[in-house]
């Protein structure tokens, strides 16, 4: 009709098809449905979902196909079933017939379910469901973002009946359980308790020694692993009371509580050995295969003390470095224990537990691993994105958490709230777009305090800096701007890290991404305490770390010159604090100015002299303290520049 009237210019009357608008509308609807079906199938194929081809076979749009085959065509008031009167169907306009034939053809190829296609195209609608099975299906999706949507929806369910939480706890996979543990408000019912253990015939000390004896002997004889193994398994060497063989001078009895202290010390050495072993991935696998996690569970049940908890969470942190051990850790109920510890009032225990959970949670945007360091912020999944890293490095005899505590209150002024870690409590709240990491390492003033006399080369400034560089790379440091904060010897380690970054291309990202440095009482030119120890070095046996920090040390002078050149060439802002009060090391000993002002002043950037001793220069007493105010302003200015 269109061809005859408009092309051949013939005189024709109007097209007699009274029902054309309604049927045209119906054709458009069927066309949209077909396009939706084809688009949904393509979306599923591209999303990587595992869908069997049989789901695409059968009938197109099963629900729609049924409607087509049972639909009626209204022609001159006559309603006829499509299956019973095909000739009547052929009398309808050609475009309607064609669309229907296409639908029937595709219906033999694709098995379509409108509800499922709707859920696949719009998974956020499913995430609003109150059905635990629906949310579990989302959490198991092969699509990363759909999985996160399902986990977040499960974590947000706070008013379910208890049986629903228990159902999810028993049905969800280990990956989902770990992800839920990183949401602070997730219900505790999601996490199953540890399974009950069979009673052991031996003491816990015997079982710990048995675990050490089953682990392979390390190839290096003069190593800390071998040292801890030897002293843990050789009871006579550990507790020999008469090394000169003068047994007649010893008592035939033990003092009250002496046996308990010996047993505790033996357990501590065993845990030191296990912690040293599990820092190696191969030995960590062997420890778990020998049912070491069950032994740790029994130890925690028998001795639920804080020092035991710290050792266990350290071992679990080492095990969390190995991705294949996730199933073993979750199935033995340690996720529930770590979550309970993450809420502990002991800041060190809580932060170590949160760091371990972060290591185990590999199904997240950040897949960084934290070894011998503590993640202070962000410790949860539901946190703001971060644009820079703040790396804290403590000094001699310090700790990853202990060094950065709030200053002990005076007798006159006692604050209502004491912060056990001010970078976590104050700096993270004022600058939430930061990732804050604190590095931990063992150190001592003299060799009498060394827990392990071997591997002294790793205790030098260069040796320790190289070890830290590898761990910082595993934690993703260097992928975004860095702000370094160091106290005492920690500042020297920061300078050595930057020096190695300039000299070796493998670590060049650390110098390229550095945006600022803060020093608290750093002995750039040596320490007066070290000079005192060096005078009596044959009596006090100063440690390797101390020997490198004597006044006017050539190594320190060279290191400082390299740092000055780097900061000057790259216009790196620097903020330094110095002490002005002597520090007391013991009642019989005199007070000593640990780092004089001429040594703590780097000669570049802003320098502030504080009326505090060496220990308190990095411990503000409140958010109004000048130490925190200057630190916060320095970090905030750099963060604003990064955002711009």
């Amino acid at each position: 009709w269109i061809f005859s009237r408009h092309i051949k210019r013939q005189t024709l009357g109007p097209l007699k098809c009274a029902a054309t608008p309604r049927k045209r509308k119906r054709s458009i609807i069927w066309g949209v449905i077909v396009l939706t079906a084809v688009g949904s199938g393509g979306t599923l194929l591209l999303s990587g979902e595992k869908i069997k081809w049989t789901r695409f076979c059968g009938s197109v749009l099963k629900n729609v196909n049924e409607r087509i085959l049972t639909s009626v065509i209204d022609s001159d008031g006559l309603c006829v079933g499509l299956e019973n009167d095909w000739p009547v169907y052929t009398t309808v306009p050609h475009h309607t017939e064609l669309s229907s034939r296409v639908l029937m053809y595709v219906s033999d190829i694709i098995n379509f379910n409108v509800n499922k296609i709707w859920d696949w195209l719009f998974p956020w609608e499913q995430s609003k469901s109150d059905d635990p099975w629906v949310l579990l299906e989302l959490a198991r999706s092969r699509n990363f973002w759909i999985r996160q949507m399902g986990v977040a929806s499960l974590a947000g369910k706070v008013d379910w009946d208890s049986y629903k939480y228990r159902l999810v706890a028993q049905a969800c996979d280990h990956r989902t359980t770990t992800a839920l543990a990183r949401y602070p408000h997730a219900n505790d019912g999601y996490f199953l308790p540890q399974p009950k253990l069979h009673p052991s015939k031996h003491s816990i000390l015997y079982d710990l020694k048995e675990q050490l004896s089953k682990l392979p002997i390390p190839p290096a004889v003069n190593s800390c692993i071998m040292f801890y193994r030897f002293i843990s398994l050789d009871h006579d060497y550990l507790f020999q009371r008469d090394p000169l063989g003068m047994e007649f001078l010893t008592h035939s009895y033990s003092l009250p509580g002496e046996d308990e202290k010996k047993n505790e010390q033996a357990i501590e050495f065993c845990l030191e050995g296990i912690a040293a072993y599990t820092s190696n991935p191969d030995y960590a696998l062997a420890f778990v295969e020998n049912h070491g996690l069950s032994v740790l569970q029994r130890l925690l049940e028998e001795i639920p003390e804080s020092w035991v908890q710290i050792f266990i969470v350290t071992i679990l942190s080492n095990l969390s470095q190995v991705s294949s051990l996730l199933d073993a850790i979750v199935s033995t109920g340690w996720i529930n224990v770590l979550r309970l510890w993450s809420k502990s009032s002991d800041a060190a225990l809580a932060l170590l537990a949160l760091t371990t959970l972060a290591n185990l949670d590999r199904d997240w945007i950040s897949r960084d691993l934290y070894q011998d360091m503590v993640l202070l912020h962000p410790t949860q999944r539901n946190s703001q994105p971060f644009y820079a890293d703040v790396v804290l490095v403590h000094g001699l005899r310090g700790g990853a958490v202990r060094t950065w505590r709030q200053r002990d209150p005076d007798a006159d002024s006692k604050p209502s709230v004491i912060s056990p870690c001010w970078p976590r409590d104050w700096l993270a709240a004022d600058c939430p777009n930061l990732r804050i990491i604190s590095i931990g390492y063992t150190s001592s003033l003299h060799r009498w305090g060394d827990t392990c006399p071997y591997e002294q080369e790793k205790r030098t400034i260069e040796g320790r800096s190289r070890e830290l560089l590898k761990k910082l790379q595993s934690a993703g440091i260097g992928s975004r701007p860095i702000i370094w904060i160091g106290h005492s010897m920690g500042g020297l380690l920061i300078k050595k890290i930057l020096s190695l970054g300039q000299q070796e291309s493998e670590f060049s990202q650390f110098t390229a991404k550095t945006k600022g440095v803060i020093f608290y009482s750093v002995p750039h030119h040596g320490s007066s305490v070290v000079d005192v120890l060096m005078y009596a070095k044959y009596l006090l046996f100063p440690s390797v770390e101390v020997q490198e920090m004597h006044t006017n040390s050539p190594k320190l002078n060279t290191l400082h010159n390299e740092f000055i050149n780097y900061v000057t060439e790259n216009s790196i802002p620097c903020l330094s604090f110095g002490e002005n009060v002597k520090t007391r090391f013991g009642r019989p000993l005199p007070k000593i100015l640990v780092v004089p002002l001429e040594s703590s002043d780097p000669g570049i950037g802003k320098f502030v002299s504080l009326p505090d001793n060496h220990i308190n220069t990095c411990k503000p007493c409140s958010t109004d303290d000048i130490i925190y105010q200057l630190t916060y302003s320095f970090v905030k200015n750099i963060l604003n520049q990064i955002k711009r």
Side-chain angles (χ1 to χ4, degrees):
W1 182 84
I2 295 175
F3 177 80
S4 300
R5 181 168 182 174
H6 295 281
I7 304 300
K8 292 189 175 182
R9 300 294 180 180
Q10 296 180 3
T11 303
L12 298 175
L15 182 63
K16 296 181 180 181
C17 187
T20 297
R22 182 170 61 86
K23 293 181 179 180
R24 184 178 300 170
K25 182 178 180 181
R26 183 185 300 173
S27 301
I28 293 174
I29 293 175
W30 296 133
V32 171
I33 293 176
V34 172
L35 291 176
T36 304
V38 176
S40 302
T43 303
L44 292 173
L45 291 175
L46 293 176
S47 66
E49 294 283 353
K50 284 186 176 179
I51 301 176
K52 296 182 179 180
W53 182 250
T54 54
R55 294 182 62 179
F56 289 92
C57 301
S59 55
V60 129
L61 317 173
K62 184 176 180 181
N63 297 340
V64 178
N65 185 41
E66 293 176 356
R67 291 176 60 187
I68 293 175
L69 295 178
T70 58
S71 64
V72 295
I73 299 176
D74 187 4
S75 176
D76 298 330
L78 179 65
C79 295
V80 183
L82 183 61
E83 294 177 291
N84 300 326
D85 203 337
W86 181 259
V88 176
Y89 174 75
T90 58
T91 61
V92 300
H94 179 70
H95 65 274
T96 305
E97 177 188 355
L98 180 62
S99 62
S100 300
R101 286 182 179 273
V102 169
L103 278 176
M104 294 181 66
Y105 172 75
V106 180
S107 69
D108 293 331
I109 301 176
I110 302 178
N111 181 17
F112 181 81
N113 187 302
V114 175
N115 295 329
K116 286 189 176 182
I117 290 296
W118 179 267
D119 293 337
W120 290 332
L121 291 178
F122 309 103
W124 54 86
E125 292 294 332
Q126 269 189 301
S127 66
K128 300 176 183 178
S129 173
D130 209 40
D131 186 354
W133 290 111
V134 173
L135 300 181
L136 275 174
E137 191 67 24
L138 285 178
R140 293 169 180 165
S141 172
R142 295 191 65 192
N143 184 282
F144 173 79
W145 295 109
I146 294 178
R147 283 200 306 273
Q148 310 316 318
M149 191 183 305
V151 173
S153 299
L154 286 170
K157 300 300 180 182
V158 295
D159 54 354
W160 271 356
D161 295 330
S162 59
Y163 78 91
K164 289 187 177 181
Y165 296 113
R166 191 59 59 191
L167 184 149
V168 173
Q170 295 174 350
C172 72
D173 57 300
H174 296 161
R175 179 179 62 187
T176 304
T177 301
T178 306
L180 286 171
R182 298 198 64 208
Y183 284 91
H185 303 298
N187 193 281
D188 293 336
Y190 284 132
F191 312 102
L192 296 174
Q194 290 187 295
K196 291 186 177 181
L197 299 175
H198 294 290
S200 177
K201 299 179 181 179
H202 308 287
S203 65
I204 186 61
L205 179 58
Y206 178 89
D207 288 343
L208 288 173
K209 289 184 177 182
E210 187 72 12
Q211 285 296 320
L212 280 174
S213 63
K214 290 180 180 179
L215 294 173
I217 298 177
V221 178
N222 296 329
S223 64
C224 287
I225 296 179
M226 191 65 186
F227 172 75
Y228 288 124
R229 178 189 177 94
F230 174 73
I231 63 174
S232 299
L233 298 180
D234 193 340
H235 187 273
D236 295 333
Y237 174 82
L238 182 60
F239 297 114
Q240 55 179 342
R241 298 177 57 182
D242 189 15
L244 300 179
M246 303 177 66
E247 297 180 357
F248 62 91
L249 294 178
T250 60
H251 299 285
S252 59
Y253 58 88
S254 299
L255 297 175
E258 185 177 358
D259 293 337
E260 289 78 2
K261 290 182 179 179
K262 285 184 177 181
N263 187 69
E264 180 178 316
Q265 186 178 0
I267 292 176
E268 184 176 348
F269 273 107
C270 287
L271 292 175
E272 287 275 11
I274 294 175
Y277 260 109
T278 53
S279 61
N280 184 302
D282 296 331
Y283 297 149
L285 288 169
F287 174 75
V288 174
E289 290 174 357
N290 295 332
H291 308 287
L293 290 174
S294 299
V295 176
L296 293 181
Q297 178 182 345
R298 185 186 165 207
L299 172 65
L300 183 62
E301 292 175 355
E302 293 189 7
I303 313 177
E305 298 181 9
S306 59
W307 66 274
V308 173
Q309 294 173 350
I310 292 293
F311 268 116
I312 292 178
V313 75
T314 302
I315 295 171
L316 291 175
S317 179
N318 291 338
L319 298 178
S320 66
Q321 306 289 323
V322 186
S323 59
S324 59
L325 295 179
L326 173 64
D327 293 340
I329 294 174
V330 177
S331 60
T332 50
W334 284 105
I335 293 295
N336 185 38
V337 177
L338 289 172
R339 181 172 171 81
L340 293 176
W341 284 347
S342 67
K343 303 175 183 179
S344 172
S345 58
D346 186 346
L349 178 63
L351 289 170
L352 281 171
L354 290 169
T355 304
T356 304
L357 288 174
N359 287 338
L360 292 171
D361 188 16
R362 303 292 179 90
D363 190 38
W364 187 232
I365 301 172
S366 174
R367 294 179 175 86
D368 303 322
L369 295 176
Y370 307 99
Q371 183 179 11
D372 293 337
M373 59 183 68
V374 178
L375 178 63
L376 303 183
H377 176 80
T379 56
Q380 311 289 355
R381 270 196 169 201
N382 55 345
S383 56
Q384 299 184 23
F386 45 89
Y387 305 108
D389 291 327
V390 174
V391 182
L392 306 167
V393 189
H394 65 79
L396 274 173
R397 300 181 65 186
V401 178
R402 183 175 67 253
T403 295
W404 311 106
R405 68 184 185 275
Q406 182 181 352
R407 187 187 311 172
D408 298 332
D410 300 330
D412 300 333
S413 59
K414 291 185 178 181
S416 57
V417 179
I418 302 296
S419 171
C421 183
W422 63 263
R424 178 197 66 173
D425 298 332
W426 301 346
L427 188 60
D430 293 335
C431 300
N433 298 117
L434 292 174
R435 181 175 65 159
I436 307 176
I437 296 174
S438 181
I439 297 175
Y441 59 91
T442 57
S443 59
S444 60
L445 289 174
H446 47 77
R447 293 191 179 183
W448 296 108
D450 284 348
T451 55
C452 174
Y454 299 112
E455 299 179 349
Q456 293 295 315
E457 68 281 357
K458 293 183 178 180
R459 295 175 176 268
T460 62
I461 293 178
E462 181 174 356
R464 200 183 294 275
S465 298
R466 290 188 178 276
E467 289 288 326
L468 294 180
L469 278 169
K470 297 176 182 178
K471 296 171 183 177
L472 289 171
Q473 285 180 327
S474 299
I477 303 297
S479 59
R480 59 183 64 85
I482 310 172
I483 303 173
W484 302 92
I485 300 179
H487 174 250
S488 191
M489 193 185 82
L492 300 180
L493 294 175
I494 292 173
K495 291 163 65 176
K496 190 60 181 179
I497 287 173
L498 296 176
S499 175
L500 293 173
Q502 291 179 285
Q503 299 170 6
E504 302 179 16
S505 58
E506 180 184 0
F507 309 123
S508 59
Q509 69 271 24
F510 294 98
T511 53
K513 292 294 184 178
T514 295
K515 300 300 179 182
V517 184
I518 300 178
F519 293 130
Y520 297 105
S521 291
V522 175
H524 299 286
H525 305 289
S527 170
S528 55
V529 172
V530 175
D531 297 338
V532 174
L533 292 175
M534 292 301 292
Y535 280 126
K537 61 181 179 180
Y538 296 110
L539 177 63
L540 299 177
F541 292 99
S543 62
V544 175
E545 302 99 314
V546 170
Q547 295 179 31
E548 291 186 314
M549 292 190 294
H550 62 84
T551 304
N552 296 323
S553 168
K555 289 185 178 180
L556 293 185
N557 292 335
T558 303
L559 181 62
H560 189 65
N561 292 333
E562 293 175 352
F563 175 76
I564 293 295
N565 294 334
Y566 164 73
V567 170
T568 304
E569 293 175 0
N570 296 275
S571 301
I572 304 297
C574 183
L575 173 64
S576 302
F577 296 90
E579 64 198 73
N580 221 355
V581 177
K582 295 181 179 181
T583 304
R584 181 184 295 276
F585 289 92
R587 181 168 296 180
L589 299 177
K591 293 183 178 181
I592 302 176
L593 192 65
V594 180
V595 182
L597 294 179
E598 56 270 17
S599 181
S600 58
D601 186 359
I604 192 170
K606 184 177 181 179
F607 178 74
V608 180
S609 176
L610 299 172
D612 294 307
N613 59 27
H614 183 74
I615 298 174
N616 289 334
T617 52
C618 62
K619 297 177 178 60
C621 59
S622 67
T623 54
D624 297 328
D625 194 310
I626 187 174
I627 299 175
Y628 178 74
Q629 285 296 319
L630 291 176
T631 301
Y632 163 69
S633 300
F634 183 86
V635 173
K636 187 66 174 180
N637 290 336
I638 294 177
L639 186 60
N640 291 336
Q641 294 176 8
I642 294 171
K643 289 182 178 180
R644 287 198 295 267

